[in-house]
């Protein structure tokens, strides 16, 4: 009994440090994997590429996330935590190589490397955070997601600043923090047990309906986010704005959205997930409409509120997926995040010619329609409130 109590105390003491470390790793991984929109105008000019290819370039970066369900299935089977470290290493390596791309096809190859590495990082990390969170999975997931969203928000601005100061060839500097962090990953990441060979098979017929609704909802939500981060900087550049200011729109959306990450998880622990999803997506639709009609300082203010409402839904979708597949939580995470993002990336690619034919604002109006549909999908998502045991965390 005393040994068990001591072990529990040790886990409790290490919990904040490990959660903070995992959030930091998420910051580095998602920063390296998502800074591209901040320098995309410069890359298009450097490689003499058309704006119509902007969606294809973003899709190459994000389509690798379609592998997340398969990676999650494998991660559930083998357990452990090595895939988290491998994912961070690959994303950072790819991010360092972007500035050295000599043409369109080498650039696509580097972006695919980043996308596949990103797919390695997330499923096992998300399942580990769920396990680490114990009886407050919403709060733990929110803290972890904050790291990723801050990374996605800050790195486009950092990358654009590096490019303005020194050029594309110096983007490798952004990979140095990850290189220093990698030795700590096997200590911070929880070790997941492998799925038992005699475990109950996944009841796909039972879960097909809820999973399909959740993935569709998440894809439409991600389409709103990706459309903003891809086409708003291009709107600004075509209007004669500078690269750094265009990247600041992404920073405001994603960094202020951290409030939503934290608030969404905490509110869901108190009021349930479905009500938070419905209210948050309703606000998102209103805010994106307001952004498309706004001018001046209101552009940044509205984007900040849009970020809060959109990112309040992110940890909740992952938790719902993990509850639908309780014995395959890495797989559930991969479907709610990776597969949904890949579908959204396909949508962004298809919207590229629309932006070239009409204007970069046109895809945002289409994404707005998808946001309206997502409100109705949210009302039919399952409300699971299972408790997660803390035993066995390593």
């Amino acid at each position: 009994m005393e040994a068990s109590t001591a072990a529990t105390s040790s886990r409790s003491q290490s919990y904040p440090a490990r959660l903070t470390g995992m959030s930091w790793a998420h910051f580095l991984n998602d920063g390296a994997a998502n800074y591209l929109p901040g320098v995309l105008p410069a890359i298009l000019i450097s490689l003499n590429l058309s704006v119509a290819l902007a969606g294809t370039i973003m899709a190459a970066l994000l389509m690798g996330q379609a592998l997340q369900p398969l990676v999650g299935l494998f991660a559930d089977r083998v357990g452990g935590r090595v895939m988290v470290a491998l994912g961070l290493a690959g994303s950072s390596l790819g991010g360092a190589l972007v500035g050295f791309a000599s043409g369109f096809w080498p650039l696509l190859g580097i972006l695919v490397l980043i996308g596949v590495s990103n797919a390695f990082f997330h499923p096992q990390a998300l399942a580990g955070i769920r396990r680490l969170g114990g009886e407050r999975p919403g709060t733990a997931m929110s803290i972890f997601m904050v790291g990723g969203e801050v990374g996605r928000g800050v790195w486009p601005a950092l990358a654009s600043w590096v490019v303005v100061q020194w050029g594309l060839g110096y983007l490798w500097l952004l990979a140095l923090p990850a290189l220093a962090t990698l030795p700590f990953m096997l200590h911070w990441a929880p070790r997941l047990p492998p799925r038992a060979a005699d475990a109950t098979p996944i009841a796909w017929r039972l879960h097909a309906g809820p999973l399909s609704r959740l993935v569709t909802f998440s894809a439409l939500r991600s389409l709103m986010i990706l459309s903003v981060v891809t086409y708003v900087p291009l709107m600004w550049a075509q209007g004669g704005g500078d690269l750094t200011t265009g990247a600041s729109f992404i920073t405001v959306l994603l960094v202020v959205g951290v409030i939503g990450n934290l608030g969404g998880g905490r509110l869901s622990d108190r009021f349930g997930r479905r009500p938070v999803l419905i209210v948050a997506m309703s606000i998102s639709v209103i805010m994106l409409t307001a952004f498309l009609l706004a001018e001046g300082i209101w552009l940044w203010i509205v984007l900040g509120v849009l970020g809060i409402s959109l990112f309040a839904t992110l940890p909740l979708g992952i938790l719902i997926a993990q509850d639908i597949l309780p014995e395959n939580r890495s797989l559930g995470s991969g479907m709610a995040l990776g597969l949904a993002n890949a579908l959204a990336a396909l949508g962004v690619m298809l919207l590229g010619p629309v932006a070239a034919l009409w204007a970069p604002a046109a895809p945002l109006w289409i994404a707005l329609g998808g946001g309206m549909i997502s409100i109705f999908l949210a009302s039919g998502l399952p409300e699971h409130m299972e408790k997660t045991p803390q035993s066995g965390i390593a």
Side-chain angles (χ1 to χ4, degrees), residues 62-63 66 215-216 219-220 222-223 226 338-348:
L62 296 167
M63 286 300 290
V215 170
T216 305
L220 292 174
S222 294
L223 181 62
L226 295 179
L339 179 58
N341 282 346
L343 292 173
L346 180 61
V348 169

Side-chain angles (χ1 to χ4, degrees), residues 111-129:
L111 297 180
V112 169
L113 168 64
I114 296 173
V116 172
S117 300
N118 209 21
F120 267 67
F121 178 85
H122 281 96
Q124 204 169 61
L126 290 165
I129 292 298

Side-chain angles (χ1 to χ4, degrees), residues 6-324:
T8 301
S9 175
S10 176
R11 285 195 297 268
S12 299
Q13 292 171 3
S14 65
Y15 166 78
R18 296 178 71 178
L19 185 57
T20 301
M22 288 296 292
S23 188
W24 166 251
H26 199 192
F27 167 82
L28 296 174
N29 180 83
D30 281 23
N34 292 280
Y35 73 71
L36 178 66
V39 299
L40 185 56
I43 290 176
L44 293 178
I45 293 172
S46 174
L47 300 180
N48 196 26
L49 301 175
S50 167
V51 171
L53 291 173
T56 301
I57 292 171
M58 285 297 295
L61 175 67
L62 296 167
M63 286 300 290
Q65 296 195 40
L67 295 173
Q68 282 200 34
L70 293 177
V71 174
L73 191 62
F74 177 74
D76 283 326
R77 180 160 298 185
V78 301
R81 49 194 170 191
V82 173
M83 295 173 68
V84 180
L86 291 177
L88 175 59
S91 296
S92 301
L93 174 62
L97 293 175
V98 166
F100 297 106
S102 58
F104 177 68
W105 292 109
L107 176 63
L108 290 192
I110 292 170
L111 297 180
V112 169
L113 168 64
I114 296 173
V116 172
S117 300
N118 209 21
F120 267 67
F121 178 85
H122 281 96
Q124 204 169 61
L126 290 165
I129 292 298
R130 175 64 180 260
R131 187 175 182 84
L132 199 60
E135 295 184 356
R136 300 184 66 186
T139 299
M141 190 67 70
S142 291
I143 293 172
F144 176 72
M145 297 303 291
V146 161
E149 300 314 323
V150 173
R152 287 169 48 159
V154 170
W155 280 56
L158 285 176
S160 67
W161 182 81
V162 168
V163 170
V164 168
Q165 295 297 318
W166 301 303
L168 288 166
Y170 283 85
L171 286 172
W172 61 268
L173 292 170
L174 299 177
L176 296 180
L179 183 64
T181 298
L182 281 171
F184 299 96
M185 287 307 302
L186 296 184
H187 170 69
W188 290 337
R191 182 188 292 112
L192 299 175
R195 187 170 186 266
D198 58 349
T200 304
I202 301 174
W204 287 112
R205 290 187 179 181
L206 176 64
H207 299 319
L211 277 175
S212 298
R213 183 181 290 268
L214 176 63
V215 170
T216 305
F217 165 84
S218 299
L220 292 174
R221 184 266 322 283
S222 294
L223 181 62
M224 292 181 71
I225 297 172
L226 295 179
S227 295
V228 170
V229 302
T230 301
Y231 295 111
V232 167
L234 293 176
M235 288 170 54
W236 188 258
Q238 285 194 355
D242 62 274
L243 187 68
T244 305
T245 305
S248 73
F249 286 112
I250 306 173
T251 300
V252 169
L253 176 77
L254 300 180
V255 173
V256 179
V258 165
I259 299 172
N261 268 146
L262 289 171
R266 293 183 68 86
L267 288 172
S268 73
D269 285 340
R270 183 173 181 181
F271 298 110
R273 297 166 190 164
R274 191 187 302 124
V276 176
L277 290 174
I278 294 171
V279 171
M281 288 309 302
S282 298
I283 295 174
S284 298
V285 167
I286 294 170
M287 288 299 105
L288 184 53
T289 304
F291 174 78
L292 289 167
L293 301 175
E295 294 180 353
I297 190 65
W298 287 104
L299 291 170
W300 283 269
I301 296 173
V302 171
L303 266 186
V305 179
L306 176 62
I308 293 172
S309 56
L310 281 173
F311 288 107
T313 69
L314 192 58
L316 311 188
I318 294 169
L319 291 170
I320 291 173
Q322 291 178 345
D323 282 337
I324 293 173

Side-chain angles (χ1 to χ4, degrees), residues 230 363 372 386:
T230 301
M372 294 178 181
E386 296 179 0

